[in-house]
């Protein structure tokens, strides 16, 4: 079945939102890359190991932002043309870069332990540039958090929180640089202030480098969401009574985040209702499954050629029962919509006939589960529990006066 045909597809505001999140990930990449370059120059000029560690920190973050950007870009692509190979290359690069970061970190540790031990030369302009970088990161982080809360995007929230951590690690570097500028000296375990700050910042680098490595490795091993999680998503979708069929369901991992895409058939022609249901399903998935960045739901009305009809019976011979909940048997027949002939017929025992209370509602829920489209009854179900269950599920209830199954089917055509 084609994805676009007959499919109201995702809402336009949603894809605009996805593009906006994507753009911010791109800005994060550019900002961190710029800062890495600037701090790299400052480190070279000053000879400060703390500033060098800060430069590696920003470089690590720019790679992480690039990986997030790649993952987000994938979320807007169609399933059939999903370039899994390309995506794996992106992650291979992150893993490679993670190793490079660990190597750079190791170099700093070596410098701290066995370096010449020269004191850095700090000028006022270095302090000004570092201060500027902290302000930029702080503003960017606040922007990510604000937009993340509004769009409920886990990617943006994580990005914003990370920028807050970056502000903290940058403040450590700035503190060391300022103390050096004023000629303040302090030794601890044979380490001076600059070396201590460098070691502290390395802890932050190790954390983001480790995340880059494990996220990248996970995608390299398997980019699809695990079967258990997909089963939970399917359960959530199927628990919506108007869902007739889940045609397809796929999930992808992008770093820590998950993208879910599904194609469902709804038992309604009402577009507004279908839209509301799709929204509700999305909400439930986001609420119950962690780290889901985006849910894309394609829905279409039921266009099958058959209608499933249920009737309460007194016996298995096809005698209609006047009571809905108490009927010992139910017939479920499949009728062709055009030719009106019966293609399939099942007689089922009513599993709830002996309940003391609420059997009508239980029976109605059971029939909804059996994917029934229409119910024929002699009793009036309007304003009664089962009637509400059926109307919620889009099941059509018709009152008939006939006494046998075949007459009832004739009557209700
Ligand atoms: Zn960072």
């Amino acid at each position: 079945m084609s994805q676009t045909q007959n499919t109201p597809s995702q809402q336009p505001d949603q894809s605009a939102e996805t593009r906006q999140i994507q753009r911010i990930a791109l800005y994060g990449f550019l900002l961190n890359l710029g800062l890495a370059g600037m701090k790299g120059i400052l480190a070279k000029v000053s000879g400060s190991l703390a500033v060098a560690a800060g430069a590696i920190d920003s470089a690590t973050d720019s790679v992480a932002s690039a990986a997030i950007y790649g993952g987000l870009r994938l979320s807007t692509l169609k399933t059939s043309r999903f370039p899994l190979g390309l995506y794996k290359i992106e992650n291979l690069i992150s893993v490679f870069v993670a190793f490079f970061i660990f190597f750079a970190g190791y170099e700093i540790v070596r410098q701290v332990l066995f370096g010449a031990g020269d004191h850095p030369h700090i000028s006022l302009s270095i302090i000004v540039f570092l201060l500027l970088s902290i302000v930029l990161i702080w503003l960017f982080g606040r922007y990510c958090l604000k937009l993340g809360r509004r769009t409920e995007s886990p990617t943006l929230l994580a990005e914003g929180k990370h920028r807050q951590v970056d502000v903290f690690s940058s403040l450590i570097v700035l503190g060391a640089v300022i103390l050096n500028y004023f000629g303040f000296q302090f030794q601890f375990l044979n380490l001076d202030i600059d070396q201590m700050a460098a070691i502290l910042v390395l802890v932050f680098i190790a954390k983001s480098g480790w995340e880059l490595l494990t996220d990248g490795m996970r995608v390299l091993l398997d980019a699809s969401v695990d079967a258990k999680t997909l089963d939970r998503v399917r359960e959530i979708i199927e628990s919506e009574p108007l869902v007739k069929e889940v045609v397809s369901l796929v999930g992808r991992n992008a770093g820590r985040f998950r993208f879910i895409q599904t194609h469902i058939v709804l038992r309604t022609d009402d577009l507004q209702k279908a839209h509301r249901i799709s929204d509700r399903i999305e909400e439930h998935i986001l609420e119950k499954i962690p780290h889901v960045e985006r849910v894309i739901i394609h829905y279409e009305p039921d266009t099958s050629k058959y209608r499933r009809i249920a009737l309460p019976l007194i016996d298995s011979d096809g005698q209609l029962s006047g009571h809905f909940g108490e009927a010992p048997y139910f017939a479920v027949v499949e009728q062709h919509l055009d030719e009106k002939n019966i293609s399939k017929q099942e007689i089922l025992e009513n599993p709830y006939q002996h309940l003391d209370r609420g059997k009508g509602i239980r029976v109605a829920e059971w029939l909804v589960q059996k994917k029934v489209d229409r119910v024929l009854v002699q009793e009036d179900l309007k304003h009664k529990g089962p009637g509400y269950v059926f109307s919620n599920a889009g099941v059509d209830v018709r009152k008939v006066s006939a006494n046998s199954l075949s007459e009832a089917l004739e009557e209700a055509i």
Side-chain angles (χ1 to χ4, degrees):
M1 209 175 300
S2 137
Q3 284 270 351
T4 44
Q5 191 189 17
N6 215 352
T7 304
S9 189
Q10 81 203 89
Q11 306 89 312
D13 56 314
Q14 205 178 58
S15 54
E17 204 172 82
T18 305
R19 274 201 304 277
Q20 190 182 23
I21 295 169
Q22 215 172 300
R23 206 162 41 234
I24 287 167
L26 183 64
Y27 293 159
F29 164 68
L30 294 173
L31 177 64
N32 280 311
L33 194 67
L35 290 180
M38 185 189 88
K39 288 178 189 172
I41 294 169
L42 294 183
K44 196 97 186 124
V45 170
S46 65
S48 160
L49 287 175
V51 178
I56 296 173
D57 194 11
S58 295
T60 312
D61 290 339
S62 75
V63 177
S65 302
I68 289 172
Y69 174 71
L72 284 169
R73 215 189 45 209
L74 277 180
S75 74
T76 54
L77 296 176
K78 296 262 183 239
T79 333
S80 50
R81 283 167 223 147
F82 179 52
L84 203 60
L86 188 69
Y87 185 42
K88 290 211 170 191
I89 289 172
E90 284 181 14
N91 279 276
L92 191 65
I93 293 170
S94 331
V95 169
F96 177 76
V97 170
F99 279 112
F100 177 76
I101 287 157
F102 289 131
F103 177 73
Y106 165 76
E107 271 301 303
I108 289 191
V109 173
R110 221 168 54 96
Q111 283 287 321
V112 167
L113 297 180
F114 311 112
D118 293 336
H119 288 302
H121 307 285
I122 307 296
S123 62
L124 193 60
S125 58
I126 288 174
I127 293 175
V128 171
F129 276 121
L130 285 180
L131 204 58
L132 185 73
S133 80
I134 292 174
V135 171
L136 279 175
I137 284 286
W138 181 72
L139 287 174
F140 185 71
R142 257 180 45 136
Y143 180 57
C144 289
L145 284 179
K146 208 177 110 192
L147 207 69
R149 280 191 205 105
R150 210 183 67 210
T151 58
E152 290 177 347
S153 158
T155 301
L156 283 189
L157 288 173
E159 185 76 358
K161 278 176 199 146
H162 187 156
R163 295 296 83 88
Q164 286 182 325
V165 175
D166 288 343
V167 166
F168 184 66
S169 68
S170 305
L171 282 173
I172 294 175
V173 175
L174 182 70
V177 163
I178 289 176
L179 288 177
N180 262 308
Y181 178 71
F182 288 110
F184 186 84
Q185 289 302 328
F186 176 75
Q187 290 267 334
F188 179 70
L189 294 175
N190 232 351
L191 299 174
D192 66 21
I193 290 168
D194 191 56
Q195 290 169 324
M196 276 187 282
I199 294 288
L200 272 176
V201 173
L202 281 177
V203 175
F204 292 96
I205 299 174
K207 187 176 179 291
S208 14
W210 178 251
E211 276 167 7
L212 207 57
L213 183 69
T214 49
D215 290 346
M217 288 297 270
R218 189 160 55 219
V219 175
L220 283 181
L221 294 175
D222 187 10
S224 57
V225 168
D226 59 299
K228 217 173 122 193
T229 305
L230 278 185
D231 281 349
R232 280 179 61 206
V233 173
R234 184 179 288 272
E235 257 170 49
I236 292 169
I237 297 173
E238 282 175 346
S239 71
E240 190 61 56
L242 274 174
V243 171
K244 180 170 173 127
E245 195 192 342
V246 180
V247 181
S248 73
L249 172 65
V250 286
R252 252 171 259 125
N253 286 313
R256 260 153 294 166
F257 305 107
R258 291 161 166 166
F259 298 95
I260 306 287
Q261 191 164 332
T262 183
H263 180 182
I264 53 178
V265 176
L266 294 177
R267 211 182 295 109
T268 180
D269 287 336
D270 184 338
L271 270 184
Q272 280 195 332
K273 199 168 183 181
H275 190 95
R276 269 205 309 279
I277 289 157
S278 151
D279 279 353
R280 195 155 64 204
I281 292 173
E282 182 188 347
E283 222 171 85
H284 284 167
I285 293 174
L286 291 174
E287 198 179 293
K288 288 176 187 155
I289 311 286
H291 307 301
V292 174
E293 174 60 48
R294 180 62 70 219
V295 181
I296 297 171
I297 299 172
H298 298 276
Y299 51 84
E300 60 176 287
D302 183 12
T303 52
S304 74
K305 289 263 173 284
Y306 293 90
R307 176 182 287 145
R308 280 168 74 78
I309 305 170
L311 309 92
L313 299 179
I314 294 175
D315 52 34
S316 52
D317 296 332
Q319 192 72 15
L320 242 60
S321 164
H323 299 283
F324 177 75
E326 284 150 41
Y329 296 97
F330 273 85
V332 176
V333 300
E334 239 175 57
Q335 187 177 40
H336 197 280
L337 284 180
D338 305 324
E339 293 151 28
K340 304 296 175 200
N341 59 321
I342 305 296
S343 57
K344 219 169 141 193
Q345 179 173 324
E346 274 179 293
I347 306 286
L348 306 164
E349 215 173 307
N350 176 359
Y352 301 111
Q353 57 178 311
H354 301 302
L355 277 189
D356 287 337
R357 294 170 56 89
K359 55 185 130 191
I361 288 180
R362 298 295 288 274
V363 170
E365 287 170 346
W366 170 63
L367 292 174
V368 168
Q369 258 179 25
K370 295 258 167 226
K371 305 290 175 196
V372 162
D373 303 294
R374 176 178 287 180
V375 175
L376 304 182
V377 273
Q378 293 174 332
E379 193 184 353
D380 193 357
L381 293 182
K382 252 185 219 158
H383 309 302
K384 289 182 184 168
Y388 290 120
V389 171
F390 286 136
S391 97
N392 260 334
V395 174
D396 175 35
V397 180
R398 302 237 171 145
K399 221 178 137 199
V400 289
S401 52
N403 283 317
S404 77
L405 194 151
S406 49
E407 282 168 25
L409 286 173
E410 285 282 317
E411 189 186 330
I413 276 173

